[in-house]
Amino acid sequence: MTKTVCIIGAGIGGLMAGALLAKEGYAVTVLEKATKVGGSAGSYVRNKHTFPTGATIAFGLEEHGLLDTLFKELDMNIPFTLLDHPMDVVLEDRRISLYKDRTAWKEELGQVFHERKRDVLAFWNRVEQISEGVFDVTATGVSLPIQHMYDLGKLPGHAVFHAGSMLRLARYATHTVEDLLRAYKLDTYEPLRQFLDAQLLDAAQTDCTKAALLPSSLALTIYGRGSFYVDKGMSQLSEALAERIIELDGEVVKASAVNELFYKDKKWHVTSRKRSGTYDLVINNSGISFGPRTSHSESNQFSWGAFRIDTLLIGTFWQQELGGRQLPFALQIVPDKAQSVLYSDGHGPVYVTFQPAYDKRNERIEDEVMMTCSIHADTEQWGLLSKDEYKQLKEAITKAMFTEIQKVLPIEDYLIYSEAGTPETYKTYIGKTSVGGFPLTVRNAILKPKSVRSALPQFYIAGEQSFPGPGTLSSALSGSHIARAVLKEWPIT
């Protein structure tokens, strides 16, 4: 008899788990609160336009990449474009362009950080060496924390043939990025620190002082492996996975928030707006707690929220200000210290992405450019503000972010529309204020990573809260780890 699986939340982690399990014959039902799938890699309609909910650039789609491998396992072909120059990081006194080409990137490092060129290049070579080792280990399918032999994936065989690399990784297991900076006497070189912090706060949800070196090395070098624009946006990855589940006789039910969940007689009883039923297994991909031990969010561990602005620009902006360069193109802008509102509530760079504009039917609008901008935000204070305080703070942060962007590009000359959202906006639409998962500290990534398993019977936790942590690629990997665990622990008989 087949096993029934209920997946709560149609983010990419749950969808990946669902597609892999449906391919193996499990009866999969996905329940999604929103009217569209995707979660943080999805989309929503505002002002008759389709805006991305979060992620705009994909990683891991290169040949033999981590995401490419999973999609091939599902017999799926995802159309995408390789981005050669996806981002610039703007500091107070310099600007760093990220390139896919390794030679161009090393030249950029040497030119931008010319005061310490030799040390910076030596530091980066070591980061790349560590990254190669981490990538190879991740590709074995190892799932932390290791609780069963099959969680090791192909790691034992890899360790036999790559003992030297494994020993090097073991040496750095509890190191932070700060530790490596100190080894190259670069810990007081402020321009490099600012650049690394901007990258890490986006990818690892923390800065040099706390970011675990092993996963951070992969995050810092990932643009060199390849960044990709998926046709019509990242939501197409989620849409494709949902379609694959349906093709494999599963179902994806949207606008169906779960309102009750309990375990009785060795079955999970799930009630939602459009579906009620009993299931052998449950995978919670929502990031929301439905009772004790149903979500890692119950740990009260710190997690960032986001302040976000959706913007539309006149289409001539693309040629006149961006030179017609390949879209999407992103900026990470380190704010002026005088922008106290961005440092008191927010943290990290102002992250800006320019991308093609699409209408509510997801058709391209040729004479417009879409701009999304965000900054990390502390979630706690927003729910405590009065209506007037909330409005004033929202307007102040919006103004400060636009001021920082305007210093780099004259967006106000092309502005058609803009609307901001706070962590409370996220709570209204997705049920939680925190986004991006837990910071990749040594504790969270190495010593006590959050498992895809829960303490409850036949219950798993997917997505950015579970290791390997923040980001679309990591969430997809968490889904693949769950699928393997289910296949081993609850095989179809």
Side-chain angles (χ1 to χ4, degrees):
M1 295 178 63
T2 192
K3 293 284 194 300
T4 54
V5 182
C6 178
I7 299 173
I8 305 173
I12 198 164
L15 292 171
M16 181 62 72
L20 291 169
L21 290 172
K23 185 182 178 186
E24 297 299 325
Y26 291 75
V28 172
T29 297
V30 181
L31 302 176
E32 169 57 44
K33 175 182 179 181
T35 56
K36 290 190 174 186
V37 301
S40 295
S43 64
Y44 57 88
V45 173
R46 172 184 275 185
N47 191 41
K48 299 180 181 180
H49 287 69
T50 300
F51 289 92
T53 53
T56 53
I57 297 174
F59 300 100
L61 289 173
E62 69 274 12
E63 186 72 21
H64 305 303
L66 299 173
L67 201 53
D68 172 70
T69 301
L70 291 174
F71 280 123
K72 284 181 177 175
E73 186 176 342
L74 289 166
D75 303 312
M76 295 174 61
N77 181 35
I78 303 296
F80 59 79
T81 303
L82 175 66
L83 303 175
D84 296 320
H85 176 193
M87 177 187 293
D88 282 359
V89 180
V90 183
L91 309 183
E92 182 179 357
D93 64 343
R94 65 197 73 196
R95 181 168 175 160
I96 305 101
S97 295
L98 275 62
Y99 296 105
K100 164 70 172 69
D101 181 77
R102 190 172 186 270
T103 300
W105 170 235
K106 290 301 177 66
E107 290 177 355
E108 179 75 0
L109 279 175
Q111 291 172 5
V112 172
F113 301 112
H114 56 89
E115 303 97 335
R116 300 288 303 275
K117 176 179 178 179
R118 178 178 294 181
D119 293 332
V120 169
L121 289 174
F123 166 83
W124 203 267
N125 286 337
R126 182 50 57 92
V127 170
E128 288 183 336
Q129 182 188 47
I130 296 169
S131 172
E132 286 295 326
V134 173
F135 178 87
D136 290 342
V137 167
T138 305
T140 67
V142 62
S143 176
L144 299 179
I146 296 169
Q147 298 173 329
H148 300 276
M149 285 298 295
Y150 51 79
D151 288 335
L152 290 166
K154 298 178 182 178
L155 183 61
H158 173 79
V160 170
F161 293 101
H162 300 87
S165 174
M166 293 296 292
L167 287 172
R168 280 193 295 271
L169 294 186
R171 172 188 171 190
Y172 292 117
T174 59
H175 285 212
T176 64
V177 175
E178 171 91 2
D179 292 328
L180 192 64
L181 281 170
R182 193 176 297 114
Y184 286 87
K185 297 182 172 57
L186 289 167
D187 50 309
T188 59
Y189 182 44
E190 194 61 23
L192 181 62
R193 287 187 68 97
Q194 285 188 0
F195 167 69
L196 293 175
D197 283 345
Q199 291 281 281
L200 290 171
L201 278 161
D202 177 50
Q205 307 297 310
T206 189
D207 60 17
C208 292
T209 59
K210 296 180 181 179
L213 178 58
L214 295 188
S216 295
S217 67
L218 198 57
L220 290 170
T221 59
I222 199 165
Y223 287 96
R225 293 189 175 277
S227 56
F228 307 89
Y229 177 62
V230 178
D231 186 32
K232 296 191 176 183
M234 286 287 286
S235 62
Q236 299 306 299
L237 294 180
S238 304
E239 294 283 357
L241 282 168
E243 289 173 8
R244 189 70 179 119
I245 289 172
I246 294 169
E247 290 171 356
L248 294 166
D249 297 325
E251 61 175 350
V252 178
V253 187
K254 292 174 279 191
S256 189
V258 170
N259 50 51
E260 187 178 32
L261 173 73
F262 65 91
Y263 185 70
K264 182 180 180 181
D265 298 329
K266 298 184 178 181
K267 293 279 188 177
W268 282 101
H269 299 252
V270 183
T271 303
S272 73
R273 180 182 173 189
K274 294 182 179 179
R275 287 287 188 281
S276 297
T278 59
Y279 302 89
D280 296 304
L281 309 162
V282 169
I283 300 170
N284 184 7
N285 184 55
S286 70
I288 301 170
S289 175
F290 295 94
R293 299 175 291 175
T294 60
S295 170
H296 292 315
S297 64
E298 299 159 17
S299 65
N300 293 320
Q301 198 163 342
F302 178 80
S303 183
W304 286 109
F307 186 100
R308 173 194 171 106
I309 310 171
D310 290 332
T311 307
L312 297 171
L313 305 173
I314 298 170
T316 53
F317 174 87
W318 180 46
Q319 287 291 345
Q320 293 177 3
E321 306 300 337
L322 296 180
R325 71 174 59 196
Q326 189 179 26
L327 296 180
F329 176 70
L331 294 171
Q332 282 183 335
I333 305 170
V334 176
D336 189 322
K337 293 293 183 183
Q339 295 283 15
S340 58
V341 70
L342 298 184
Y343 286 94
S344 60
D345 175 71
H347 193 56
V350 176
Y351 190 95
V352 187
T353 305
F354 303 98
Q355 53 206 300
Y358 293 95
D359 64 19
K360 62 182 180 181
R361 294 179 295 275
N362 225 17
E363 297 296 328
R364 178 74 181 269
I365 303 174
E366 297 295 339
D367 59 351
E368 293 181 0
V369 171
M370 183 178 294
M371 182 181 81
T372 56
C373 25
S374 62
I375 190 168
H376 284 69
D378 191 334
T379 63
E380 291 186 5
Q381 71 162 315
W382 287 93
L384 303 175
L385 298 174
S386 68
K387 186 176 180 179
D388 287 342
E389 289 171 335
Y390 181 94
K391 180 181 178 181
Q392 290 171 8
L393 183 58
K394 184 176 178 180
E395 290 175 351
I397 293 177
T398 300
K399 181 179 178 181
M401 289 174 67
F402 269 28
T403 297
E404 294 303 306
I405 301 168
Q406 184 73 14
K407 291 177 183 177
V408 183
L409 290 167
I411 57 169
E412 293 179 2
D413 296 342
Y414 300 87
L415 193 62
I416 300 173
Y417 160 88
S418 72
E419 188 168 347
T422 75
E424 288 297 304
T425 310
Y426 279 88
K427 184 177 181 180
T428 298
Y429 288 100
I430 66 175
K432 57 182 180 178
T433 56
S434 298
V435 292
F438 303 124
L440 284 181
T441 60
V442 171
R443 183 184 187 278
N444 290 343
I446 307 298
L447 301 179
K448 290 189 176 182
K450 301 292 186 184
S451 177
V452 296
R453 298 179 179 86
S454 76
L456 299 171
Q458 298 141 254
F459 196 100
Y460 299 82
I461 302 172
E464 59 196 14
Q465 292 181 347
S466 299
F467 196 76
T472 301
L473 175 57
S474 296
S475 293
L477 290 174
S478 77
S480 71
H481 293 166
I482 287 175
R484 180 179 60 193
V486 169
L487 288 169
K488 294 289 187 179
E489 295 166 16
W490 311 101
I492 295 174
T493 56

